[in-house]
Amino acid sequence: MNRKFTWFRFKMPRKIGLISDSHSYIDHKTLSFLQEVDEIWHAGDIGSIAVMDALPKGKVVRAVYGNIDDAAMQQEYPEWQEFELEGVNVLMTHIGGKPPRYSKGVKQRIREFGAQLFICGHSHICKVEFDPGTNCLYMNSGAIGQQGFHHMRTMLLFDLDKGKIQNLRVVELGKRGQ
């Protein structure tokens, strides 16, 4: 009996770890969550290249520099990232404001790029909100570092799959100073 087998490759969702405002600090708890993702996105205020060197190896890393990052960091990472992944147009920068009051020029850039996901840091406040004015999902992961006024250190984990953002969760990493 001659049977033909057809092999199908099922593409798994892309797992994303979104961090921001490390201010030269990253701990083992943060790194343990980042072990489980395919891509690590850092939305600025990295602080030290040691933070980036500590990230788990073998991951795609996308980052932007922030207002505390020095000239060397600004040469290594851009101010803006614009890319498409799993059918989602992603726009990322450090200082972006928040819906509906974005920083100067951000709303126009979201529209021009056709962003479906806009990511920024800077505020140290974890916030996810759909903005009907730009037809775009806004994400700010808060801060993983120890510096700033935030009380709880946070990051975001989510999946990108066939044009959809799924399984979004906020990870509380512990109180600042602990």
Side-chain angles (χ1 to χ4, degrees), residues 27 33 55 67 76-77 118 120 122 129 155 157:
D27 64 356
F33 283 102
L55 296 176
N67 56 295
E76 185 72 24
Y77 301 102
F118 174 66
C120 65
H122 188 63
E129 177 182 346
M155 65 184 289
L157 299 173

Side-chain angles (χ1 to χ4, degrees), residues 11-176:
K11 195 170 184 184
M12 299 297 290
R14 191 72 56 103
K15 296 183 180 307
I16 310 299
L18 176 59
I19 59 177
S20 184
D21 295 279
S22 51
H23 290 261
S24 301
Y25 177 86
I26 193 162
D27 64 356
H28 293 291
K29 190 170 187 179
T30 304
L31 292 170
S32 69
F33 283 102
L34 294 176
Q35 288 286 353
E36 306 302 318
V37 301
D38 302 308
E39 296 201 11
I40 301 166
W41 300 352
H42 196 306
D45 276 1
I46 300 163
S48 167
I49 199 66
V51 168
M52 302 308 276
D53 290 343
L55 296 176
K57 305 302 179 227
K59 310 290 182 185
V60 173
V61 175
R62 301 174 196 259
V64 294
Y65 70 80
N67 56 295
I68 69 146
D69 294 318
D70 63 14
M73 199 71 71
Q74 291 177 26
Q75 286 186 342
E76 185 72 24
Y77 301 102
E79 180 180 8
W80 291 88
Q81 288 269 8
E82 295 179 347
F83 57 95
E84 180 274 329
L85 185 65
E86 294 295 322
V88 177
N89 287 340
V90 181
L91 180 64
M92 180 168 61
T93 195
H94 181 61
I95 300 176
K98 64 181 181 179
R101 293 184 185 97
Y102 295 97
S103 298
K104 186 177 180 179
V106 169
K107 191 180 283 189
Q108 180 179 345
R109 193 155 186 169
I110 289 170
R111 289 183 176 138
E112 286 173 358
F113 179 63
Q116 297 155 294
L117 175 57
F118 174 66
I119 294 169
C120 65
H122 188 63
S123 72
H124 294 221
I125 298 169
C126 185
K127 184 176 180 72
V128 176
E129 177 182 346
F130 181 76
D131 178 11
T134 59
N135 198 33
C136 184
L137 184 64
Y138 166 92
M139 282 188 192
N140 185 323
S141 62
I144 64 166
Q146 295 289 358
Q147 295 181 354
F149 61 87
H150 59 284
H151 297 287
M152 182 63 67
R153 298 180 311 108
T154 56
M155 65 184 289
L156 295 173
L157 299 173
F158 58 96
D159 299 338
L160 292 180
D161 188 27
K162 300 176 189 140
K164 294 184 181 175
I165 299 158
Q166 301 175 323
N167 302 319
L168 175 64
R169 54 220 174 271
V170 176
V171 177
E172 292 186 344
L173 300 164
K175 292 186 177 181
R176 184 175 52 85

